[in-house]
Amino acid sequence: MCLVKDLRYADVLRMIDAGAYFSLLKFPQPTEEIEVMHYLMEDGIVVKLDNGLYGITNLGAILFAKDLNAFPRLGRKAMRVVQYQGRNRLFIQKEETFNIGYAVCFEDIVRFVNALLPSSEDAAAIALTTKSKYPLPSVREAIANSLIHQDLYITGAGPVVEIFDNRMEVTNPGTPLVDIMRIIDNPPKSRNEKLASLMRRMKMCEELGRGWDRMVLACEMQYLPAPRIEIFEESTKVTLFSEMEFKNISADDKIWSCYLHACLMYIQGDALTNTSLRDRFGLKESSAGSISRLIKEAVDKNRVKALDPKTAKRYMRYVPIWASV
């Protein structure tokens, strides 16, 4: 689908960043017009029209536009980043809208968000280091997923990152194409296959279905609640939490974290145990009772089940409710 038609070569270069295309794909940019357009047409960035002029496609504009507002309906698809004061939306502290193509500005978005997220310094380290209170692989994946998996046909809405004192929310238009209960183990499925494929070649995503695996694992490594995913009528919201003590995690988020931990263990050929779940939350052996109660709640909610119900309680192992045993 062409968003803008009847363009000359100079007009195309004025509207899209061809240099970024070649740079991100690590190709030397040709000097001849015919060669530049050959690559752009091969990847569906532009098309040649019957009258000899060019048209910029939806894919070309959303990824490489120098200004999304120059293309019909794409101005509202620009990524917005909003930082609030406190834990609600009453006061905006900082706001930025990235009005250029996703491929051109993706790294800038990630850097901007990371700069706004709280961090702490490790004064005990030989070389002073700064550590984010959010797992940065999870931040990157959440942003990439919001761009790749959004529904571009929903008008009047675009992807947005909202940062609060205790959490980060990433919302995009459209609902997931896979059952969120199988978001860890299901094969990847993208609403925008050409977009995902080209972003994979530019190393912005993997298109292997590992995004959620990486997000959850990164949260586990920092003993954080698993990323929360919420589905609304026409949008999806993923919430990442900053450092939080186990006792302050909500019951639903504990059960969700327990379930996703079981999913990760299962696809690795293992199973959830009281010890593995304690380690996942960074808890000592004295918390075994609390973890046992959490596992029982997850069983009662049909999130996990015993691998062998006849096993002695202290040796009990658990798998996701959908797993074959």
Side-chain angles (χ1 to χ4, degrees):
M1 174 182 175
C2 287
L3 292 182
V4 180
K5 300 180 181 180
D6 299 328
L7 302 174
R8 300 184 183 278
Y9 175 66
D11 298 324
V12 172
L13 298 190
R14 176 176 53 82
M15 297 189 73
I16 65 171
D17 192 339
Y21 166 83
F22 289 103
S23 176
L24 289 167
L25 290 175
K26 302 190 184 306
F27 290 165
Q29 183 171 347
T31 56
E32 298 295 325
E33 171 184 338
I34 189 171
E35 289 297 319
V36 171
M37 299 310 287
H38 167 77
Y39 285 106
L40 296 181
M41 288 188 290
E42 283 292 305
D43 267 327
I45 307 301
V46 300
V47 294
K48 194 163 188 177
L49 307 175
D50 292 339
N51 59 8
L53 298 178
Y54 300 103
I56 299 175
T57 65
N58 190 31
L59 175 67
I62 201 70
L63 284 179
F64 298 104
K66 290 184 177 179
D67 182 0
L68 289 171
N69 292 303
F71 295 88
R73 300 185 304 279
L74 288 190
R76 291 299 301 272
K77 297 302 177 183
M79 169 64 86
R80 292 178 60 220
V81 178
V82 184
Q83 182 185 33
Y84 298 97
Q85 181 179 326
R87 299 186 175 191
N88 55 50
R89 294 180 173 84
L90 186 58
F91 297 110
I92 293 178
Q93 191 166 324
K94 188 171 292 186
E95 181 175 5
E96 185 73 25
T97 301
F98 293 83
N99 286 308
I100 53 181
Y102 297 159
V104 183
C105 70
F106 178 71
E107 293 298 338
D108 290 335
I109 295 171
V110 174
R111 280 193 291 267
F112 184 78
V113 170
N114 285 344
L116 296 180
L117 296 176
S119 60
S120 59
E121 291 184 342
D122 184 359
I126 296 176
L128 193 62
T129 58
T130 300
K131 179 182 179 181
S132 174
K133 294 187 177 182
Y134 290 79
L136 299 186
S138 298
V139 172
R140 183 183 179 89
E141 289 292 338
I143 294 172
N145 286 344
S146 72
L147 300 177
I148 295 169
H149 299 301
Q150 67 174 302
D151 189 339
L152 294 170
Y153 290 98
I154 295 179
T155 59
V160 58
V161 176
E162 297 176 286
I163 300 170
F164 304 85
D165 282 358
N166 64 333
R167 69 194 188 281
M168 166 183 156
E169 298 179 354
V170 185
T171 306
N172 63 266
T175 57
L177 297 180
V178 298
D179 181 357
I180 64 170
M181 298 304 295
R182 304 298 296 271
I183 203 163
I184 293 290
D185 70 302
N186 264 4
K189 191 173 184 181
S190 175
R191 178 178 282 108
N192 308 302
E193 292 183 2
K194 291 183 178 179
L195 177 68
S197 177
L198 192 50
M199 289 180 73
R200 174 187 56 80
R201 288 171 52 208
M202 293 184 292
K203 310 300 182 185
M204 295 168 61
C205 70
E206 292 183 318
E207 206 186 12
L208 294 173
R210 293 200 316 158
W212 263 87
D213 301 42
R214 294 182 66 195
M215 289 172 65
V216 175
L217 281 169
C219 289
E220 289 197 354
M221 291 177 66
Q222 290 189 212
Y223 311 126
L224 301 173
R228 180 196 295 166
I229 181 169
E230 298 172 273
I231 301 175
F232 303 96
E233 186 175 353
E234 289 191 330
S235 65
T236 303
K237 180 168 70 177
V238 172
T239 302
L240 300 176
F241 298 94
S242 63
E243 294 178 340
M244 187 184 304
E245 291 186 27
F246 179 76
K247 64 181 181 181
N248 294 328
I249 301 174
S250 72
D252 287 343
D253 286 323
K254 285 178 182 176
I255 293 172
W256 177 241
S257 298
C258 174
Y259 168 72
L260 291 183
H261 178 69
C263 292
L264 287 176
M265 297 297 284
Y266 181 75
I267 64 176
Q268 294 170 14
D270 208 339
L272 177 150
T273 65
N274 188 293
T275 299
S276 75
L277 194 56
R278 273 192 283 114
D279 291 342
R280 181 255 176 270
F281 284 110
L283 300 175
K284 297 179 180 179
E285 189 174 352
S286 57
S287 298
S290 297
I291 292 300
S292 292
R293 288 190 291 273
L294 173 57
I295 294 174
K296 183 181 184 304
E297 289 181 52
V299 171
D300 292 342
K301 294 281 188 180
N302 288 322
R303 293 294 181 260
V304 301
K305 62 184 178 181
L307 185 59
D308 181 2
K310 298 180 181 180
T311 303
K313 189 173 181 180
R314 63 182 298 182
Y315 299 116
M316 195 73 77
R317 293 153 59 84
Y318 300 86
V319 294
I321 194 67
W322 44 261
S324 300
V325 295

